Amino acid sequence: MWVRIRCILLVVYWTSWLTMLAGAITLVLVTPKCSVADPLEWWQISPIYQVYPLSYQDSSHPPDGVGDIPGIESRLDYIKDLGVGAIWLSPIYKSPMKDSGYDIQDFRDIAPVFGTMDDFHSLSKAVHKRGIKLVLDFVPNHSSNLHEWFQKSVKREVPYADYYIWADAKGFGTEATPIPPNNWRSVFGGSAWEWNQERRQFYLHQFLKEQPDLNYRNPLVLEEMKNVMQFWLDQGVDGFRLDAVAHLFEDEDLRDEMVKDEDATDEYSQLDHKYTFNLPEVLDVLREFRIVLDKNSENATKIMMTEAYMPVEKLMAYYGNKSHPIAHFPLNFALISASQKNITAQSIYTAVSTWMNNLPKGAWPNWVIGNHDNSRAATRFGAELVDAINMIALLLPGTPVTYNGEEIGMEDADVSWEQTKDTAGINAGPKKYKQFSRDPERTPMQWDAGINAGFSNANQTWLPVNTNYKTLNVESQLNEKWSHIKVYKQLTEARKTEAIMNGGLDIHILEDSVLVYTRVREGFPGYVVVVNFAPDTVTVDITNLAHMPNESSVYTFSTTYAHSFTAKKRISNSAVVLPGKGGLVLTFVPDFPKEVISL
Ligand code: NOJ
């Protein structure tokens, strides 16, 4: 019944819309074939916004130059206003911060630098009051070496002795130097094994030596981590981003890995990680975590997004299947990978279509353009393409995941060797740190042109503020007539429409350098995203796209196009003139055969 009423209302809406467009009085009622899709869930509708707590907002008294939980709470109205539906918080747990919080000393406690458990509860309440969801980072692969479990494991205390992956030395070299059990390497370089003099064994660490890997072949470990997950669900969180999941298991026989590319610049990429990455057992453990989430989903779905960098065809297994679902979605880094090399309409087309073509039936897509581990989108794609990339990510089918600062086009900052905080950079040394450090994409959020960009009143911030903050900041963009943030907000607004939520996708390349895709659902206004990757003006004819009428109206456009377009302007679809490097979103009345009812 409700569907029928919605359809009738739509007919009336459409009739008036068409009337306006035609500039004439329409004397017939057109009946679009109208079906309303099942309502989408919270995690499918609006973007998920990643907040990097160290760099979001310092609210300490006196200020300490580091972001904190009350600081995030003080910015919630801003977040709400962006039109995002959920916040994913990078780790806020107690940690010695060797890996910026991904080395957890107590999975059930908050790092004092971020605040207290009361602060967390206050944040959670304030987030939920605004109708936003709260997703936490969950780090199942490793703990900090300062975690009580590891300390007890070193001492072989029951039941912790096998909570981590311990192995005897292969032998002893000169001066009784212990030789690691095999050639496995850490993601951050060097051997993945660290000798523990007290236990007289090596332990495995796929990341830093201060991040020993937990042993998921021990059922007690899985139970412990499921209990941790339940603990945070009991605090009211709405789901988790699961860190580094492909590293959960290693070969039991500790076989050496083959060299696949001796010349790769980072040591880790030189080996083929057949015995340490993406083992089949990983999915069984993730399935167990999913069951915990589903048990807690009576009122609203608790989501699982998994983090693993691997070819799309392999990654799709992380969705599981209908009877055994795993992740709600494995985070999709295809647009990040595509932007590491030469960026063209073709490379972005391939990234999008490969993902969509491999997607299992019924699975929900997602799009990530940046995060705290990769150079900023504006730096990778180039500042001119910031809005265009947000257009692509926000209007494709699926959930966009936005890293804080990408809504204003923040760029990588120049962080000197002396200022470097990321251990991955520090370990590489002063000559090579720039190749490995992730500090440039982690610098403080740029709120305004005031002291430390409005992030902190401290004399010094934990990482330097990007020197471009006086011109590139939230406040100035909100005051400008046209800016990245204004485009971003228009895109989140467009996501509320049927075509974007439930419409089909039709994607093409035109004139070599233009990526174009439509989102159409019969009976609703359609959208077309047109992005020119070339530096020069290109004119395209989009009338051959399915359901495309002769004219559309401008919905939004890149800041680089601010002199060429105005919102709502009608343009001819047979000659859309696109200046170099930018994107345009048009809206149109899709052409479907219409049934005419005589009045
Ligand atoms: C992935 C996280 O995103 C990254 O920041 C961290 O260093 C590793 N996992 C290890 O936890």
Side-chain angles (χ1 to χ4, degrees):
M1 176 61 182
W2 169 232
V3 169
R4 181 87 199 128
I5 295 172
R6 252 176 98 182
C7 282
I8 293 168
L9 290 174
L10 277 161
V11 169
V12 173
Y13 167 81
W14 268 105
T15 308
S16 41
W17 222 72
L18 287 166
T19 306
M20 259 166 38
L21 289 175
I25 297 167
T26 308
L27 290 175
V28 290
L29 271 179
V30 288
T31 57
K33 250 195 240 122
C34 189
S35 64
V36 176
D38 286 344
L40 296 178
E41 294 199 43
W42 66 265
W43 54 277
Q44 299 172 307
I45 297 170
S46 310
I48 296 178
Y49 183 68
Q50 179 190 358
V51 168
Y52 196 65
L54 286 166
S55 282
Y56 208 62
Q57 180 67 59
D58 175 13
S59 75
S60 307
H61 301 290
D64 58 6
V66 179
D68 47 54
I69 294 173
I72 298 169
E73 185 172 338
S74 72
R75 294 292 186 180
L76 287 182
D77 288 337
Y78 166 79
I79 295 175
K80 173 79 186 166
D81 199 42
L82 284 177
V84 302
I87 296 172
W88 146 35
L89 279 187
S90 282
I92 46 168
Y93 312 108
K94 186 171 178 196
S95 161
M97 298 282 167
K98 289 283 178 193
D99 186 18
S100 303
Y102 283 92
D103 48 322
I104 300 170
Q105 185 174 352
D106 185 341
F107 289 108
R108 292 181 172 82
D109 203 359
I110 304 285
V113 74
F114 293 137
T116 62
M117 196 55 108
D118 283 347
D119 292 331
F120 174 78
H121 288 141
S122 165
L123 173 72
S124 171
K125 205 166 142 204
V127 167
H128 289 122
K129 198 177 113 201
R130 287 167 175 79
I132 305 175
K133 301 285 184 182
L134 187 59
V135 172
L136 293 189
D137 226 304
F138 183 77
V139 185
N141 181 66
H142 44 264
S143 71
S144 157
N145 59 331
L146 301 188
H147 195 292
E148 187 192 353
W149 298 341
F150 186 73
Q151 305 283 315
K152 292 187 169 165
S153 197
V154 167
K155 298 189 184 329
R156 297 181 196 257
E157 267 183 42
V158 179
Y160 304 102
D162 296 326
Y163 266 40
Y164 296 84
I165 298 165
W166 294 97
D168 290 336
K170 203 171 166 182
F172 292 87
T174 48
E175 294 175 32
T177 318
I179 301 169
N182 60 26
N183 71 345
W184 293 353
R185 300 233 169 112
S186 142
V187 173
F188 293 137
S191 171
W193 296 100
E194 181 72 13
W195 178 251
N196 181 275
Q197 188 56 28
E198 189 176 343
R199 182 160 158 154
R200 296 201 57 78
Q201 272 191 313
F202 279 97
Y203 66 85
L204 181 79
H205 59 92
Q206 292 222 40
F207 293 90
L208 297 175
K209 69 177 179 353
E210 293 86 356
Q211 293 169 300
D213 271 46
L214 286 159
N215 175 16
Y216 279 86
R217 298 199 188 276
N218 178 347
L220 291 181
V221 169
L222 178 58
E223 273 318 299
E224 292 270 19
M225 292 308 283
K226 280 162 55 177
N227 291 340
V228 169
M229 190 171 252
Q230 186 61 53
F231 172 85
W232 288 104
L233 289 166
D234 293 342
Q235 312 303 311
V237 309
D238 303 292
F240 301 92
R241 173 263 194 193
L242 267 64
D243 181 78
V245 289
H247 298 268
L248 288 180
F249 280 89
E250 297 78 23
D251 179 41
E252 275 188 289
D253 297 331
L254 308 185
R255 280 172 281 186
D256 270 350
E257 291 189 320
M258 305 252 292
V259 176
K260 76 161 187 215
D261 178 6
E262 238 169 352
D263 302 325
T265 42
D266 70 298
E267 286 181 10
Y268 185 73
S269 309
Q270 290 167 357
L271 300 186
D272 176 8
H273 299 290
K274 186 175 168 194
Y275 297 127
T276 54
F277 188 79
N278 200 25
L279 270 62
E281 295 91 326
V282 167
L283 296 181
D284 302 333
V285 160
L286 293 181
R287 172 80 195 127
E288 294 283 324
F289 287 133
R290 173 64 186 257
I291 291 170
V292 175
L293 293 171
D294 287 352
K295 278 194 187 137
N296 287 269
S297 295
E298 316 82 51
N299 300 325
T301 300
K302 307 287 181 185
I303 62 152
M304 183 203 282
M305 338 184 251
T306 52
E307 186 230 20
Y309 289 78
M310 67 178 75
V312 169
E313 308 80 50
K314 291 190 177 168
L315 192 59
M316 292 300 169
Y318 283 69
Y319 276 108
N321 54 44
K322 211 162 180 223
S323 45
H324 290 94
I326 301 179
H328 289 84
F329 51 79
L331 288 161
N332 169 8
F333 304 118
L335 292 173
I336 294 188
S337 312
S339 54
Q340 312 284 7
K341 320 177 256 291
N342 187 22
I343 300 156
T344 59
Q346 180 64 55
S347 64
I348 302 302
Y349 172 86
T350 306
V352 173
S353 49
T354 308
W355 181 273
M356 295 308 289
N357 294 339
N358 279 283
L359 201 65
K361 194 167 179 288
W364 186 253
N366 73 97
W367 308 96
V368 182
I369 61 164
N371 58 32
H372 62 293
D373 292 329
N374 288 281
S375 182
R376 285 235 174 232
T379 303
R380 261 178 294 117
F381 287 97
E384 314 100 306
L385 284 174
V386 162
D387 304 308
I389 296 305
N390 275 333
M391 286 170 192
I392 293 174
L394 267 77
L395 300 187
L396 279 170
T399 303
V401 183
T402 300
Y403 177 43
N404 61 202
E406 308 287 34
E407 71 276 23
I408 55 165
M410 272 177 67
E411 296 167 9
D412 283 357
D414 194 16
V415 181
S416 70
W417 165 247
E418 290 70 28
Q419 294 164 324
T420 295
K421 293 287 180 314
D422 183 10
T423 314
I426 293 172
N427 286 352
K431 292 219 171 69
K432 292 218 291 196
Y433 79 97
K434 282 204 172 167
Q435 191 190 329
F436 296 96
S437 172
R438 297 162 294 176
D439 291 334
E441 61 263 23
R442 297 177 173 180
T443 56
M445 184 70 186
Q446 293 164 212
W447 294 106
D448 56 45
I451 175 169
N452 295 322
F455 162 69
S456 167
N457 286 329
N459 290 335
Q460 213 182 349
T461 53
W462 79 285
L463 276 177
V465 174
N466 193 319
T467 49
N468 65 12
Y469 77 96
K470 291 237 154 117
T471 48
L472 201 168
N473 62 65
V474 168
E475 191 178 72
S476 66
Q477 291 198 13
L478 287 173
N479 289 334
E480 275 159 29
K481 188 154 173 263
W482 207 235
S483 61
H484 299 315
I485 203 165
K486 291 202 167 163
V487 175
Y488 188 88
K489 288 210 237 174
Q490 278 208 289
L491 295 172
T492 57
E493 198 52 38
R495 289 186 58 83
K496 296 176 184 153
T497 64
E498 273 290 327
I500 302 299
M501 285 289 83
N502 295 309
L505 170 70
D506 189 19
I507 182 162
H508 301 272
I509 298 175
L510 300 176
E511 306 295 334
D512 292 341
S513 71
V514 176
L515 181 82
V516 51
Y517 73 78
T518 54
R519 302 299 314 281
V520 172
R521 186 161 161 76
E522 189 172 358
F524 300 90
Y527 288 86
V528 56
V529 175
V530 201
V531 174
N532 179 13
F533 287 90
D536 305 316
T537 301
V538 177
T539 303
V540 289
D541 176 356
I542 57 170
T543 50
N544 287 333
L545 301 176
H547 311 296
M548 189 59 70
N550 291 331
E551 283 199 334
S552 1
S553 63
V554 173
Y555 177 70
T556 191
F557 45 89
S558 285
T559 45
T560 50
Y561 285 3
H563 298 298
S564 314
F565 295 95
T566 42
K568 298 197 179 133
K569 192 179 158 217
R570 307 276 315 145
I571 62 167
S572 162
N573 289 339
S574 58
V576 183
V577 183
L578 299 159
K581 302 248 178 190
L584 186 61
V585 180
L586 306 170
T587 181
F588 59 93
V589 182
D591 248 344
F592 280 94
K594 295 166 191 86
E595 217 179 290
V596 176
I597 309 169
S598 44
L599 289 173

